[in-house]
Amino acid sequence: MRLLHTSDWHLGRAFHRVNMLGAQAEFIGHLVTTVRERSVDAVVVSGDVYDRAVPPLAAVELFDDALHRLADLGVPTVMISGNHDSARRLGVGAGLIGRAGIHLRTEPSAAGTPVVLADAHGDVAFYGLPYLEPALVKDEFGVDKAGHEAVLGAAMDRVRADLATRPDGTRSVVLAHAFVTGGEPSDSERDITVGGVAAVPAGVFDGVDYVALGHLHGCQTLTDRVRYSGSPLPYSFSEAAHRKSMWLVDLAADGTVAAERVDCPVPRPLARIRGTLEELLADPALARHEEAWVEATLTDPVRPADPMARISERFPHTLSLVFDPDRDREEAEVSYARRLAGRSDQQIAEDFVAHVRGTGPDAHEQGVLREAFDAVRADETLREVAR
């Protein structure tokens, strides 16, 4: 069976104020063409279909168009909700849509109930594990500790239990939206840390033939059987080195996996350039970036006049301007934005405590902060669901 694995469409998302809807529509067209021309038997979409719980109408219309085009091909699609999606909204009409071959899996309680498709070699069971917010699903899965590994492990126990009841030779595919150990994150993913831990070990998924992951935006191979497709488009300059693609996966009769990357259309390349303003305006080696979306980091010791206007004369698609003067200074003098870069909410809060009282939080206080952030995220999720 030939699968096309994609995820993290983030329909409705902009890139530094640039409307990406046209590029997202081009990607959908590319996906449909790939399904048709590469004889794909099933499409799997591993979460974050939308960028937010209540997406703009134009994004909903694009999603509707994608569903119709996939259904018209007669190729089954299995899709789960991610941490950016409203699971309940995405799942509305799932039963009816399923009759058209579009299988939406948004309910945690259905983790052990697969979509079963067949080829010449027998059945393939597709198990959809939507994003599992630990605080909201721990009771469903009967776990004492609200952590990612615990709830995903319990969901996978249901998968393995169901698979054990199926005929010998039944192959299995799991769709999951999670941060798995070994994956490389970027700046554009929403933090899902719970209890101080964001990642789960790949061993949680043992016992199935292929794991189609979503959440991280870079295409990655954790093992031959566990892969991230990544997002089809860039959503931060930290993705400048990414090659945006989907996985074309051949699942053999004996469950072995062969995978090929299928490149996605590039609306405009990304470039990160660094130097003084005069260096960036004069360096002939940077000519290749003149039509790219640019993040320029200026190292001038004193902020130059009209920097954005001047840099845009050579690089008209400059979207981000960062100041990082090349001069000796203490860490306390580093810009606020630079000090926060790559730090979690928990780390920022702990730094604040250390700043205002001179010493950082002890283990008990760290636990209190962690519980507060977990509670806020769970409350935000409940509010999104209730809207």
Side-chain angles (χ1 to χ4, degrees), residues 35 65 98 112 135 230 243 270 354:
V35 170
D65 177 64
R243 173 186 162 198
L270 306 187

Side-chain angles (χ1 to χ4, degrees), residues 194-208:
V194 171
V197 179
V200 300
V204 165
F205 299 103
D206 285 351
V208 296

Side-chain angles (χ1 to χ4, degrees), residues 2 87 91 93 189 213 277 280 282 320 328 381:
R2 173 164 285 184
E189 298 116 8
L213 293 174
L277 179 58
L280 298 183
S320 175
D328 292 334
T381 302

Side-chain angles (χ1 to χ4, degrees), residues 85-161:
D85 299 309
S86 166
R88 291 186 65 182
R89 280 187 173 82
L90 188 63
V92 168
L96 186 61
I97 295 172
R99 298 180 187 178
I102 308 293
H103 305 281
L104 300 174
R105 289 295 183 264
T106 63
E107 291 292 335
S109 59
T113 305
V115 176
V116 180
L117 306 177
D119 63 8
H121 305 290
D123 289 345
V124 180
F126 291 79
Y127 297 90
L129 310 186
Y131 172 67
L132 303 174
E133 177 62 47
L136 302 183
V137 302
K138 66 182 184 68
D139 292 339
E140 165 64 34
F141 291 106
V143 298
D144 295 328
K145 185 178 180 181
H148 288 294
E149 184 174 354
V151 296
L152 266 173
M156 282 302 302
D157 286 343
R158 293 188 184 183
V159 168
R160 286 184 283 265

Side-chain angles (χ1 to χ4, degrees), residues 297-322:
T297 299
L298 301 185
T299 61
D300 303 75
V302 177
R303 184 180 298 230
D306 299 322
M308 180 59 89
R310 294 176 64 192
I311 200 77
S312 295
E313 290 178 2
R314 183 177 187 190
F315 305 100
H317 305 288
T318 300
L319 300 180
S320 175
L321 198 59
V322 179

Side-chain angles (χ1 to χ4, degrees), residues 13 185-190 217 235-239 272 341-342:
R13 186 166 185 162
S186 63
D187 292 343
S188 53
E189 298 116 8
R190 183 182 293 171
H217 288 183
Y235 294 113
S236 73
F237 277 103
S238 66
E239 300 170 50
R272 285 177 138 172

